[in-house]
């Protein structure tokens, strides 16, 4: 499942238009401005004036950023994916540290003290603080999201070649064991796991409208949370009443409790979703 990181998933660039800025929660706008203030000069110094950071992965002290060598002159198609170098960014202090200078990664996430690095071939490696690396899994499509304990990650998994347009959701522990949690018809992707390590939320198009589903780490039968009863033809002319947009990626999801997930819906908007009830609404925030 490939995505253009320059068009749909960059939190760092989401405030580039006036319309997006007007819709954005003020706290998110300040967070993005702060990140840009530290990352832009650091990236130019370490990678040259043409380099740009285009992704933020995670939050807080373990936040990582993806860097491209330069922005392509022409817009990329949805099947094109520039590979990234990876830096670490500490939100609290603004400190930036290079993790890997090679432009060969699709994603990265902090997993406890380690860094999980997904390369362009779908190989997921874990790098320890001492620099030692080991292969965790292959055939990983992306959407990495670590558990709060840092003992596993949920991710989108690529399926066999004869099912090239399908993906599943799985969990990968730090011994490299992979278990599939959801594998419906079509695409299951963009998973996130609750702070208590039990609930897994993901997005599926199995009903023709991208919707949130919920399962657990034991692989219980997924239950549809949002957009129940909607079909794709109902979205023509604009989203109908009650439509809940999917997230642009798993990289900008954060849990504000064991039951409430906050996510980037694109266009400067963040939403909150109760994973027990399916209730969802824009997170407009306030001035604080």
């Amino acid at each position: 499942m490939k995505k253009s990181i320059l068009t749909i998933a960059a939190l760092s660039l989401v405030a580039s238009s006036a319309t997006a800025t007007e819709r954005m929660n003020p706290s998110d706008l300040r967070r993005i401005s702060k990140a840009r203030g530290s990352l832009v000069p650091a990236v130019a110094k370490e990678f040259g004036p043409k380099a740009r950071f285009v992704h933020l992965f995670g939050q807080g002290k373990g936040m990582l950023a993806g860097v491209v060598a330069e922005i392509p002159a022409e817009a990329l198609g949805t099947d094109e994916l520039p590979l990234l170098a990876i830096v670490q960014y500490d939100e609290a202090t603004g400190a930036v540290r290079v993790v890997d200078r090679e432009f060969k990664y699709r994603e990265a996430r902090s997993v406890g003290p380690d860094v999980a690095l997904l390369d362009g071939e779908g190989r997921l490696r874990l790098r320890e603080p001492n620099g030692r690396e080991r292969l965790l899994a292959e055939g990983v499509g992306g959407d990495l999201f670590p558990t709060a304990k840092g003992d596993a990650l949920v991710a989108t998994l690529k399926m066999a070649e004869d099912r090239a347009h399908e993906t599943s959701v799985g969990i990968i522990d730090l011994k490299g064991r992979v278990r599939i949690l959801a594998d419906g018809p079509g695409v299951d992707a963009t998973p996130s796991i609750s702070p208590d390590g039990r609930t897994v939320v993901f997005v599926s198009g199995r009903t023709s409208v991208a919707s949130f589903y919920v399962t657990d780490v034991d692989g219980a039968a997924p239950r549809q949370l949002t957009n129940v009863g909607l079909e794709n033809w109902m979205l023509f002319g604009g989203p109908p009443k009650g439509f809940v947009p999917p997230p642009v990626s798993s990289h900008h999801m954060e849990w504000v409790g064991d039951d409430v997930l906050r996510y980037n819906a694109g266009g400067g908007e963040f939403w909150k979703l109760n994973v027990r009830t399916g209730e969802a609404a824009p997170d407009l925030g306030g001035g604080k």
Side-chain angles (χ1 to χ4, degrees), residues 135-181:
L135 181 67
L136 278 186
E138 298 184 86
V140 179
D143 298 328
L144 306 177
F145 197 102
T147 61
K149 292 182 178 179
D151 58 355
L153 304 100
V154 288
T156 298
L157 307 177
K158 297 185 292 185
M159 302 307 291
E161 289 300 321
D162 60 346
R163 297 171 64 188
H165 297 292
E166 297 189 6
T167 59
S168 62
V169 166
I171 187 166
I172 306 166
D173 70 19
L174 299 194
K175 293 184 178 180
R177 294 175 296 201
V178 180
R179 284 191 297 116
I180 293 177
L181 302 179

Side-chain angles (χ1 to χ4, degrees), residues 99-205:
V99 174
D100 199 305
R101 293 182 176 278
E102 291 191 68
F103 296 96
K104 65 177 185 180
Y105 299 106
R106 294 163 67 176
E107 294 183 23
R109 289 297 291 258
S110 293
V111 185
D114 305 328
V115 176
L117 296 162
L118 178 64
D119 69 19
E121 302 301 319
R123 291 183 290 262
L124 180 64
R125 293 184 172 86
L126 193 70
R127 181 175 296 178
E128 300 173 1
N130 60 13
R132 186 164 47 204
E133 271 189 11
R134 54 193 173 90
L135 181 67
L136 278 186
E138 298 184 86
V140 179
D143 298 328
L144 306 177
F145 197 102
T147 61
K149 292 182 178 179
D151 58 355
L153 304 100
V154 288
T156 298
L157 307 177
K158 297 185 292 185
M159 302 307 291
E161 289 300 321
D162 60 346
R163 297 171 64 188
H165 297 292
E166 297 189 6
T167 59
S168 62
V169 166
I171 187 166
I172 306 166
D173 70 19
L174 299 194
K175 293 184 178 180
R177 294 175 296 201
V178 180
R179 284 191 297 116
I180 293 177
L181 302 179
D183 183 18
V187 171
D188 290 337
T190 325
S192 183
I193 187 166
S194 61
D196 62 9
R198 296 297 306 168
T199 304
V200 176
V201 179
F202 64 97
V203 176
S204 178

Side-chain angles (χ1 to χ4, degrees), residues 49-72:
K50 292 185 178 181
R52 297 288 188 274
F53 83 95
V54 292
H55 257 313
L56 294 178
F57 301 107
Q59 296 88 29
K61 187 175 182 179
M63 182 182 291
L64 302 171
V67 177
V68 292
E70 61 180 301
I71 299 294

Side-chain angles (χ1 to χ4, degrees), residues 223 225 259 273-280:
R223 175 172 62 90
L225 282 174
D259 295 345
L273 168 70
N274 187 304
V275 302
R276 306 297 174 195
T277 66
E279 296 179 9

